[in-house]
Amino acid sequence: MSAARDFLFDLSGISLPQSGNYTWKSPSNIALVKYWGKSEPQIPKNASVSFTLSQSHTVTRINFEKKALTEERRLQIFLDGALKESFRPKVAKFIERIKEYVPFLDFYHLGIHTHNSFPHSSGIASSASGLSALALCIMSLEKELNPKMGEVYFKRKASFLARLGSGSACRSIEGEIVVWGKHEAVQNSSDLFGIKLTSDIHPVFHQYQDTILLVDEGEKEVSSSLGHHLMVGHPFAEERFRQANDNLKKLLVVLKTGDLDEFNRIVEGEALSLHAMMMTSQPSFILMKPNTLRIIEKIREFRKNSNCKVCFTLDAGANVHVLYPKKELDPVKAFILSELLPLCQHNKFIQDASGPGASQFLEDYF
């Protein structure tokens, strides 16, 4: 069983390069069984499972430049070529949290260039894709310092580091289906990193479609940190954690059998349970908008009338992820365009699907 100490790095006798740069593309993900509630340092109160997305991703390059020991680190972050001072505090906090595991960062100035394939405030988890991409770039430098490092360790430590920035980021290293959180039904599962599910996955879940309906493109009403904190002392918290772990166990069976009716029941129940926790917290929040509810009602009506195995899920916001098997792309897409798109802000949506996880760019992307 892995422990945090397994990811410490010994700098003794290591010769650090003067400079270097690494570029990774890392996806966002959408949780099927949600994690909501954590303890420090970024330990989930229940296990979760997600689809890794294929189109909604962040590409990040880190330039490492050796600094003098007496120099303060220079940390610059660029989004699409423009300097973003507003990003600096979060990245600086992330680097501070991981520094005992990657002490070589103390010897470098850092220049970070990043690009998202999806619009800001679209409801896609940019912290998941962004921080996992950062972690992978940092691990590429560690791999250069320790060439004997194996692929399993590389990915687990990248997931471990990403988790310390954003819990859901640890599920963005691999794909298509990733579990995070210790669970008796998942061998090698851990609270410290996500693991890829590989065995006995039914073919229907390969390239599972996710059409993301942008009901509200505004800033998030509730940050993830605040949302998780609201679970502390919540009267239904312990029952929610038990429910999520039970649902994950049931979903593991579904992922083997391909029972899409049961898949839809679990996934929709998880989404509504997450929002129920927010509506019954103190203070309480109603994150769904009127059009969110209209979309949910239309999806259920279409499913009943067409027998298409389509369902919805939600993150902590108003936007709707419409999930369905690839073989039903044509009828479901036609339904979305005719019935659901008018309920989206500016008729906007993102077409996505489950995918393989992060990949490294060996040539310069920027």
Side-chain angles (χ1 to χ4, degrees):
M1 181 182 297
S2 296
R5 63 178 176 273
D6 296 334
F7 297 114
L8 295 172
F9 183 84
D10 185 3
L11 269 175
S12 303
I14 297 292
S15 178
L16 297 176
Q18 282 297 120
S19 62
N21 68 81
Y22 307 92
T23 305
W24 279 84
K25 178 178 77 173
S26 190
S28 188
N29 65 79
I30 178 64
L32 307 173
V33 172
K34 313 291 186 180
Y35 113 90
W36 201 242
K38 63 184 179 182
S39 55
E40 287 299 325
Q42 297 282 78
I43 301 298
K45 290 291 189 178
N46 63 266
S48 59
V49 61
S50 61
F51 277 141
T52 308
L53 299 177
S54 60
Q55 300 302 315
S56 301
H57 60 256
T58 298
V59 179
T60 294
R61 183 185 74 208
I62 302 185
N63 297 327
F64 299 90
E65 181 186 339
K66 200 87 170 287
K67 70 179 186 66
L69 290 177
T70 55
E71 279 187 286
E72 184 178 347
R73 176 192 291 114
R74 183 173 66 251
L75 173 61
Q76 294 180 308
I77 302 148
F78 300 85
L79 176 64
D80 296 326
L83 185 64
K84 296 290 287 188
E85 279 297 327
S86 60
F87 286 9
R88 195 177 187 280
K90 185 171 185 177
V91 175
K93 182 179 179 181
F94 172 58
I95 291 171
E96 182 67 21
R97 293 192 80 169
I98 67 174
K99 69 176 185 178
E100 69 174 301
Y101 303 101
V102 284
F104 48 84
L105 289 185
D106 280 346
F107 295 85
Y108 290 97
H109 298 300
L110 302 177
I112 300 171
H113 294 260
T114 193
H115 163 75
N116 293 326
S117 69
F118 47 90
H120 186 61
S121 301
S122 64
I124 307 297
S126 59
S127 59
S129 55
L131 287 166
S132 56
L134 273 177
L136 285 159
C137 291
I138 292 166
M139 284 305 299
S140 287
L141 176 56
E142 182 171 330
K143 173 74 172 177
E144 185 172 334
L145 302 178
N146 177 22
K148 294 181 179 180
M149 181 192 302
E151 183 180 3
V152 171
Y153 183 87
F154 179 95
K155 290 179 177 178
R156 286 189 176 179
K157 185 167 179 180
S159 181
F160 172 86
L161 295 176
R163 188 198 94 248
L164 292 173
S166 166
S168 60
C170 79
R171 298 191 308 244
S172 283
I173 304 298
E174 298 188 272
E176 295 182 57
I177 303 172
V178 175
V179 170
W180 170 41
K182 184 65 180 172
H183 196 288
E184 60 183 11
V186 184
Q187 188 176 10
N188 297 321
S189 58
S190 173
D191 290 337
L192 301 181
F193 50 80
I195 66 163
K196 176 181 178 178
L197 288 184
T198 56
S199 61
D200 299 325
I201 301 298
H202 194 281
V204 75
F205 295 112
H206 179 58
Q207 293 185 334
Y208 214 76
Q209 300 297 295
D210 180 6
T211 305
I212 305 152
L213 304 179
L214 305 183
V215 176
D216 182 6
E217 292 187 83
E219 294 289 340
K220 289 173 67 173
E221 182 180 349
V222 182
S223 69
S224 296
S225 296
L226 173 59
H228 289 293
H229 182 71
L230 291 172
M231 293 296 284
V232 178
H234 195 297
F236 307 137
E238 293 303 320
E239 178 60 22
R240 166 60 198 152
F241 303 146
R242 185 200 63 77
Q243 178 195 50
N245 283 320
D246 286 349
N247 279 339
L248 193 147
K249 187 174 183 179
K250 293 173 183 175
L251 191 63
L252 291 173
V253 175
V254 168
L255 292 174
K256 293 179 181 179
T257 64
D259 183 346
L260 294 183
D261 290 329
E262 182 68 358
F263 176 85
N264 293 346
R265 187 193 67 79
I266 294 170
V267 169
E268 290 186 352
E270 276 288 307
L272 295 175
S273 186
L274 169 65
H275 281 257
M277 298 305 292
M278 296 299 292
M279 286 189 281
T280 52
S281 65
Q282 289 297 330
S284 62
F285 295 91
I286 300 175
L287 302 181
M288 289 186 280
K289 302 294 184 183
N291 280 357
T292 308
L293 295 173
R294 292 189 182 100
I295 288 170
I296 289 172
E297 290 170 349
K298 282 183 174 289
I299 289 172
R300 288 179 164 176
E301 181 182 6
F302 173 75
R303 183 170 63 211
K304 180 181 177 181
N305 294 335
S306 69
N307 204 34
C308 284
K309 305 302 183 182
V310 59
C311 73
F312 67 86
T313 190
L314 311 165
D315 273 337
N319 298 328
V320 181
H321 291 250
V322 186
L323 303 177
Y324 49 99
K326 186 179 180 181
K327 64 183 180 181
E328 295 183 348
L329 175 61
D330 290 342
V332 175
K333 190 73 174 293
F335 158 68
I336 289 171
L337 293 176
S338 64
E339 298 291 328
L340 303 186
L341 214 57
L343 298 172
C344 298
Q345 191 171 1
H346 308 304
N347 293 323
K348 287 187 177 179
F349 72 100
I350 297 169
Q351 186 61 41
D352 216 323
S354 61
S359 58
Q360 186 175 12
F361 281 92
L362 298 180
E363 297 180 0
D364 189 18
Y365 177 87
F366 293 91

